[in-house]
Amino acid sequence: MILKPPELKTPEMKTIFLIIFLIISFMNHSQITNNHSIHQFQVEDLYGDSFDFQSLQGKKVMLVNTASECGLTPQYEKLQALFEKYQSSDFVIVGFPANNFGEQEPGTNKEIALFCQENYGVSFPMMAKISVKGDDQHPVYQFLTSKSKNGIMDSEVNWNFQKYLINQEGKLIDVIHHSTEPDDPKIINWIESE
């Protein structure tokens, strides 16, 4: 038996049908949009508290996978300076310690927090240690590295201090090489652009 759509005989019925159609379309669009946004995630920070990416709506975000015993670890200093300079301009840095490369982040969350504070005065949000690649890759990094999840591009985390730029709507904008300094003109221009 083939079902036929109802006959819309009156203007009122047509209006009701149109309203229902628009509501369903909007709900589907919202779900797709949210799935391609970093704002869908909640993670744990270095102190065991919940961190909701929804709180970053309207801000530009740089996500960075960090390590305490890497040749690039001094980038913490420039990351902190960048955060201090632009945090009042709706910019935030979110650090994700990871031990994926050369076991250069062997510490516990407590040890990482102490290291970051004592050596670099880090005050930007730092999350609990995760894996940024491999079979145990964290869902945030699955999102960042997979076009099917972020809707923009595929990428691979190649080393510590790789940077992911996220716009105010939570969409992935660009991936910045690990050796690129945090105060590189490309990054500064992106932060300062409208």
Side-chain angles (χ1 to χ4, degrees):
M1 180 173 152
I2 298 175
L3 295 175
K4 294 181 180 179
E7 290 186 34
L8 305 175
K9 295 182 179 181
T10 66
E12 292 83 12
M13 289 180 70
K14 290 179 182 177
T15 302
I16 291 170
F17 180 78
L18 179 61
I19 290 170
I20 292 170
F21 175 77
L22 290 173
I23 289 171
I24 292 170
S25 296
F26 177 76
M27 289 172 56
N28 286 339
H29 176 72
S30 295
Q31 185 175 4
I32 290 167
T33 299
N34 190 46
N35 286 344
H36 288 176
S37 168
I38 197 79
H39 299 148
Q40 68 185 291
F41 294 102
Q42 287 187 353
V43 297
E44 182 180 308
D45 70 14
L46 275 181
Y47 306 98
D49 296 323
S50 179
F51 183 88
D52 191 345
F53 276 90
Q54 281 277 58
S55 67
L56 302 180
Q57 284 191 358
K59 297 183 179 188
K60 292 182 179 180
V61 182
M62 179 191 294
L63 276 80
V64 185
N65 61 303
T66 63
S68 301
E69 298 178 5
C70 177
L72 299 175
T73 300
Q75 283 194 22
Y76 268 128
E77 185 174 350
K78 289 185 178 180
L79 287 167
Q80 179 60 29
L82 194 68
F83 176 65
E84 288 175 7
K85 182 174 182 179
Y86 291 104
Q87 66 178 327
S88 62
S89 301
D90 289 326
F91 170 74
V92 66
I93 295 169
V94 179
F96 279 93
N99 198 35
N100 294 96
F101 304 102
E103 297 182 355
Q104 295 177 347
E105 188 59 278
T108 64
N109 288 332
K110 186 176 180 180
E111 290 168 336
I112 294 166
L114 189 62
F115 173 86
C116 289
Q117 183 57 47
E118 286 185 351
N119 293 285
Y120 298 100
V122 170
S123 62
F124 56 84
M126 289 289 294
M127 302 303 110
K129 186 163 77 169
I130 62 165
S131 177
V132 298
K133 63 184 294 180
D135 293 339
D136 59 345
Q137 185 181 44
H138 190 276
V140 168
Y141 273 80
Q142 291 174 17
F143 168 83
L144 293 172
T145 58
S146 175
K147 183 176 181 177
S148 67
K149 295 182 185 291
N150 63 49
I152 305 298
M153 70 177 86
D154 289 318
S155 67
E156 186 176 330
V157 185
N158 293 312
W159 198 251
N160 303 311
F161 292 90
Q162 185 161 307
K163 301 147 192 81
Y164 285 86
L165 305 183
I166 308 291
N167 72 11
Q168 296 93 322
E169 290 78 41
K171 306 294 185 198
L172 177 64
I173 296 299
D174 203 357
V175 183
I176 306 294
H177 194 267
H178 57 265
S179 65
T180 302
E181 293 289 338
D183 58 357
D184 184 89
K186 180 177 183 178
I187 295 172
I188 298 297
N189 290 339
W190 172 72
I191 295 170
E192 293 182 348
S193 68
E194 287 300 320

